[in-house]
Amino acid sequence: MTDTQTLAVLPLDDSVVLPGMVVPLRLDDAQVRAAIDAARAASDEDAQAKVLLVPRLGGTYAAVGTIASVEQVGRLPGGDAAAVVRGLARARIGTGATGPGAALWVQATETPETGRSERADELAREYSTLAVGILQQRGAWQFIDSVQSISDPSALADVAGYAPYLSPDQKLWLLETPDIAARLEKLVEWSREHLAELDVAATIRKDVQEGMDKQQREFLLRQQLAAVRKELAELTGVPATEEQDYRARVEAADLPENVRAAALAEVDKLERTSEQSPEIGWIRTWLDTVLELPWTERTEDAYDIAGARAVLDADHAGMSDVKDRIVEYLAVRKRRAERGLGVVGGRRSGAVLALVGPPGVGKTSLGESVARAMGRSFVRVALGGVRDEAEIRGHRKTYVGAMPGRIVRAIKEAGSMNPVVLLDEVDKVGADYRGDPTAALLEVLDPAQNHTFRDHYLEIELDLSDVVFLATANVLDSIPAPLLDRMELIRLDGYTEDEKVTIGRDYLLPRQMERAGLTAAEVTVTDDAFHRLAGEYTREAGVRELERMIARILRKVAASDALDDGATIRVTAETLSTYVGRPRHTPESAERTALPGVATGLAVTGAGGDVLFVEASLADPTTGSSGVTITGQLGEVMKESAHIALAFLRATGPELGLPVGELKERGVHLHVPAGAVPKDGPSAGVTMTTALASLLSGRPVRSDVAMTGEVSLTGRVLPIGGVKQKLLAAHRAGIRTVLIPARNEPDLDDVPAEVREVLTIHPVSDVREVLELALEPAALAHEAAA
């Protein structure tokens, strides 16, 4: 039967007292003092005063409390009044009651404990072990014996009321739960979590302590090392500190005066900077970079003009313009050296050559040959995809991860101040919010300015006037005009078929045979096979696809069983298809221009010259459609050329004998295959005019004729660019007659003689001449129609 008592309520703000706990309570709170006084007044002289300790969490009273006895009332050493109470049992609060004093009185019913079992005993032993472990972690050794001496599971669970790592809510749950096993199970869970937290905290504390000890040890060792170095310096004269070592290195290095002054200034700053300052790392890196640059190193140019030309001829076939320019540069250098002419006005005879041409013609590899011919170091700077201006000029040395720009790094890599620097793919440099790298190249490539080039990282003037810069590009359109103005332009417009055969036989075949592990005694490739490869399999400006075909042939040969018999495999034009399949490129001009309204034009792309066909058609008059339809992904300039061609024919149709009246009633459609490839430029104007005239007259365009040129409203044929590339493309496509603007006739001097001998080239100045040469005669057209 439960015991009900009438007790004075003693509220506990944000704290919980469990049975068995002995705690002191200050009497400065009115409610606490009233409860103690009331309990003492109501108790008998022989009986001990009792109160009901009720937790008040967040201003709300709990529904349970702890019956406690008032053990003692007195004063603390500081003079404050206090009472010591001991928790006796759990109790559930009932109805209100009356009693003496100003305290609140209630009926309290003791809550009997449940859950005594073997499970509770096991949990009590486990919790005792965990509690001892926590006490050991906290260093509370004086409480360990007390905990270990408690044998009653309920009393052991209530000891958790002293645990500082339990929150008031958790302690209130323990007070509200009479089941001993449930309390111990929850305490085991909470204790494990807290013990894990203590382990993590101990690990962190240990790591921090070890780090501090290491720093202190390092500091002491550095101080001792400095003292030892100082003593050694006095005995041997060796620099005592790293800073003094940098000073000695700078003074011993062969540096220009301005560089030496800047380096010594940084050494002074290094000596004044604390070891803990992040700036000390920047200064040391900067000094290392300056000391590694070859400020006074220069290679002697090879002034053997004949030998230099021999080196260039041995490495590359053709390219006479480039070879002549390099030989001229060497000849000028030789003459200046013989006459003792050095730097004039801060300038040397540095060269900046721009090699522009389609892929695969040998622009990049030419740089190495130029360096070998001149006896200079060679270094390549890849600019494709560079979008940050700091890649050229460098980063400020105070930035994290700062480094010099690519030009300075190239000088450092070359090991001399006068290398050959190849700026590869300069037309593929981009620009974004980080700046425009091509603008930074303006100073680098200007012979009038680059003798005082200043890198942002070094902040020292660097003389680049003796560097030979070679820039490579596929197209000129994406290179800014100011940058292009600083370079001497040399075009590499591609190879003729004979040159490809020579390159394939003398350069590509030996290299690929070595890679395939073959020898000349095991495989031979005839010139006829090379001609067929160049003409029918690899219609390109360069020789990369030709080299891939050669490699493919040699792989097939290496896998052939005939090699095991010791036979020599001979690759001829007739057996070529067994190694590389059927030809990919066959003449198609005759087939495409068999019908009126199709003309053959010539164009220049990033991959070199190419042949394109312009097709024209008239809509059915019954459809009622009119106007001009233009397809083939044409740019604005090319669309304008189509409108100009149509306007010219409408104006001069009666003179040319063309039925232009149909153009008013029937729509005109112009198409330029391939439709997936974007095209633009004015040079197709003549071709569009010829295609429309062929359509209106019913006279097909001659299949062996190709043309290029811009057309005006009055019928004038205006000059265009890329004549050499276009003629090479016509030669590769099997065209035999080419019409070019008369004002482009001087460009024929750049066309190889073997191409001019094969092609019949007609310079024209008026569209009427184009139509007379390009269209089939009327009689032949009627016979073909019949």
Side-chain angles (χ1 to χ4, degrees):
M1 186 172 179
T2 56
D3 183 15
T4 302
Q5 305 178 40
T6 302
L7 300 172
V9 175
L10 192 156
L12 299 174
D13 289 330
D14 297 326
S15 64
V16 179
V17 175
L18 297 177
M21 293 179 61
V22 178
V23 296
L25 300 174
R26 290 181 177 272
L27 301 181
D28 51 0
D29 185 87
Q31 292 180 327
V32 174
R33 177 178 289 276
I36 295 295
D37 292 343
R40 295 178 69 187
S43 63
D44 298 334
E45 294 182 0
D46 297 333
Q48 201 167 25
K50 294 181 180 180
V51 293
L52 182 64
L53 305 178
V54 180
R56 185 167 58 186
L57 306 182
T60 303
Y61 285 94
V64 296
T66 304
I67 299 174
S69 63
V70 181
E71 299 290 322
Q72 186 179 356
V73 177
R75 290 190 177 274
L76 297 173
D80 296 333
V84 177
V85 297
R86 180 189 298 274
L88 300 176
R90 290 172 174 79
R92 184 163 298 278
I93 302 173
T95 60
T98 60
L104 174 65
W105 292 80
V106 296
Q107 296 288 333
T109 304
E110 287 191 27
T111 304
E113 293 184 334
T114 60
R116 288 187 179 274
S117 61
E118 293 182 0
R119 170 65 176 163
D121 295 337
E122 293 176 0
L123 290 170
R125 288 191 292 270
E126 185 176 359
Y127 174 63
S128 177
T129 304
L130 292 171
V132 169
I134 293 174
L135 292 172
Q136 289 175 345
Q137 287 272 18
R138 292 181 173 274
W141 305 98
Q142 66 273 22
F143 300 113
I144 293 177
D145 291 339
S146 300
V147 173
Q148 291 177 335
S149 64
I150 300 175
S151 58
D152 181 23
S154 177
L156 183 62
D158 289 338
V159 170
Y162 291 112
Y165 59 87
L166 294 181
S167 67
D169 290 330
Q170 290 174 321
K171 293 178 181 179
L172 179 59
W173 184 89
L174 294 175
L175 181 62
E176 293 173 341
T177 306
D179 190 292
I180 300 172
R183 276 185 282 154
L184 287 169
E185 189 171 353
K186 186 64 71 173
L187 283 171
V188 167
E189 178 185 346
W190 291 340
S191 299
R192 284 177 177 169
E193 293 176 356
H194 182 65
L195 196 58
E197 293 176 0
L198 290 178
D199 290 338
V200 172
T203 302
I204 295 174
R205 187 167 55 251
K206 180 181 177 182
D207 292 342
V208 172
Q209 186 63 38
E210 288 179 353
M212 294 177 63
D213 293 343
K214 182 180 179 181
Q215 290 180 355
Q216 293 174 355
R217 187 166 61 253
E218 182 180 358
F219 176 75
L220 292 175
L221 289 175
R222 284 189 177 277
Q223 294 298 320
Q224 294 173 2
L225 181 61
V228 171
R229 283 179 172 173
K230 183 177 180 181
E231 294 295 331
L232 289 175
E234 294 176 355
L235 295 174
T236 63
V238 178
T241 64
E242 188 175 358
E243 290 75 14
Q244 293 176 355
D245 179 52
Y246 271 110
R247 181 177 295 278
R249 288 172 59 190
V250 171
E251 291 176 349
D254 187 9
L255 301 175
E257 285 304 319
N258 62 324
V259 179
R260 183 186 303 277
L264 289 176
E266 291 296 321
V267 171
D268 293 338
K269 189 186 300 181
L270 180 66
E271 292 174 346
R272 297 191 305 268
T273 305
S274 170
E275 283 286 342
Q276 285 72 34
S277 174
E279 189 176 1
I280 199 166
W282 307 336
I283 299 174
R284 287 172 179 167
T285 305
W286 186 89
L287 288 171
D288 289 337
T289 303
V290 169
L291 291 172
E292 289 171 359
L293 284 173
W295 295 99
T296 58
E297 296 294 329
R298 278 185 166 78
T299 56
E300 292 294 330
D301 287 343
Y303 292 129
D304 183 4
I305 306 302
R309 184 61 188 242
V311 169
L312 295 173
D313 289 336
D315 289 347
H316 292 83
M319 297 187 181
S320 58
D321 293 342
V322 183
K323 296 174 183 177
D324 291 343
R325 181 62 184 88
I326 298 301
V327 170
E328 293 167 3
Y329 173 75
L330 288 176
V332 172
R333 295 275 302 184
K334 179 180 180 181
R335 188 168 295 276
R336 289 172 62 88
E338 290 174 349
R339 298 189 177 183
L341 298 176
V343 181
V344 178
R347 296 181 56 179
R348 289 186 175 89
S349 55
V352 181
L353 306 181
L355 308 178
V356 181
V361 297
K363 301 184 299 297
T364 303
S365 62
L366 185 65
E368 297 184 34
S369 300
V370 170
R372 285 206 309 121
M374 299 179 66
R376 291 191 176 195
S377 303
F378 172 78
V379 61
R380 173 177 170 268
V381 178
L383 296 180
V386 173
R387 295 181 176 274
D388 190 353
E389 181 183 354
E391 288 286 336
I392 306 299
R393 286 190 172 276
H395 305 76
R396 300 291 181 185
K397 61 186 175 187
T398 54
Y399 292 170
V400 176
M403 64 178 65
R406 296 198 178 198
I407 303 301
V408 174
R409 298 205 300 270
I411 297 294
K412 175 182 173 182
E413 180 183 346
S416 67
M417 296 298 292
N418 61 338
V420 174
V421 176
L422 179 71
L423 303 176
D424 211 5
E425 307 291 356
V426 73
D427 59 325
K428 296 177 177 60
V429 175
D432 60 11
Y433 65 93
R434 291 167 291 187
D436 187 357
T438 56
L441 287 173
L442 293 176
E443 182 183 358
V444 174
L445 299 181
D446 192 345
Q449 302 178 29
N450 61 9
H451 64 284
T452 57
F453 174 72
R454 185 177 288 268
D455 186 89
H456 286 166
Y457 181 80
L458 293 180
E459 284 297 330
I460 300 175
E461 290 184 354
L462 195 68
D463 186 2
L464 302 179
S465 62
D466 207 18
V467 178
V468 174
F469 287 102
L470 298 179
T472 69
N474 294 132
V475 294
L476 294 178
D477 298 342
S478 57
I479 303 177
L483 182 60
L484 193 61
D485 182 61
R486 285 162 169 78
M487 299 185 288
E488 183 175 341
L489 186 62
I490 299 178
R491 293 184 178 273
L492 285 74
D493 295 319
Y495 297 111
T496 65
E497 185 173 310
D498 292 339
E499 288 176 337
K500 288 184 180 181
V501 171
T502 302
I503 294 171
R505 181 186 63 236
D506 299 339
Y507 299 92
L508 306 183
L509 181 62
R511 182 166 62 194
Q512 291 300 325
M513 287 179 65
E514 180 181 356
R515 294 179 180 177
L518 299 173
T519 64
E522 295 173 320
V523 60
T524 59
V525 183
T526 64
D527 285 356
D528 291 340
F530 277 117
H531 275 287
R532 193 176 181 198
L533 275 176
E536 299 182 15
Y537 287 88
T538 61
R539 188 173 292 177
E540 56 174 343
V543 291
R544 281 185 182 152
E545 188 64 26
L546 177 62
E547 186 170 12
R548 294 189 189 102
M549 286 292 178
I550 295 172
R552 183 177 175 184
I553 292 171
L554 295 181
R555 287 197 302 269
K556 296 279 188 183
V557 171
S560 174
D561 296 334
L563 283 181
D564 299 333
D565 301 332
T568 300
I569 296 180
R570 180 180 173 85
V571 180
T572 63
E574 291 74 19
T575 63
L576 196 60
S577 59
T578 61
Y579 298 99
V580 291
R582 289 181 296 178
R584 301 180 181 181
H585 305 284
T586 55
E588 57 177 340
S589 179
E591 178 185 352
R592 298 289 289 271
T593 59
L595 297 175
V598 182
T600 305
L602 299 173
V604 176
T605 65
D610 199 3
V611 173
L612 57 82
F613 297 93
V614 176
E615 302 173 348
S617 67
L618 292 175
D620 192 330
T622 60
T623 61
S625 61
S626 61
V628 182
T629 303
I630 302 173
T631 57
Q633 282 207 60
L634 308 186
E636 292 300 323
V637 176
M638 209 164 183
K639 290 179 181 179
E640 291 174 358
S641 297
H643 288 289
I644 292 172
L646 195 59
F648 168 75
L649 290 178
R650 281 173 173 166
T652 59
E655 176 190 345
L656 299 174
L658 300 176
V660 293
E662 298 183 11
L663 297 179
K664 298 180 180 179
E665 303 173 357
R666 303 173 65 179
V668 178
H669 188 166
L670 280 174
H671 177 64
V672 183
V677 180
K679 296 168 277 292
D680 201 5
S683 61
V686 167
T687 313
M688 291 179 172
T689 306
T690 303
L692 288 169
S694 170
L695 178 67
L696 294 173
S697 66
R699 297 163 58 187
V701 179
R702 290 172 51 188
S703 60
D704 63 335
V705 173
M707 62 202 72
T708 181
E710 181 180 358
V711 67
S712 70
L713 281 174
T714 60
R716 302 295 299 171
V717 179
L718 305 180
I720 41 80
V723 171
K724 180 181 177 181
Q725 296 184 43
K726 293 176 179 178
L727 292 182
L728 290 174
H731 179 253
R732 289 193 297 268
I735 301 295
R736 290 295 173 262
T737 302
V738 179
L739 310 181
I740 66 170
R743 289 169 59 183
N744 283 117
E745 191 171 3
D747 296 331
L748 296 177
D749 295 339
D750 299 330
V751 181
E754 58 267 29
V755 175
R756 295 200 305 268
E757 291 174 359
V758 174
L759 297 178
T760 301
I761 303 172
H762 292 280
V764 294
S765 57
D766 193 275
V767 175
R768 297 166 182 82
E769 301 177 50
V770 175
L771 299 180
E772 182 178 350
L773 292 169
L775 298 181
E776 293 281 4
L780 294 178
H782 288 306
E783 292 178 7

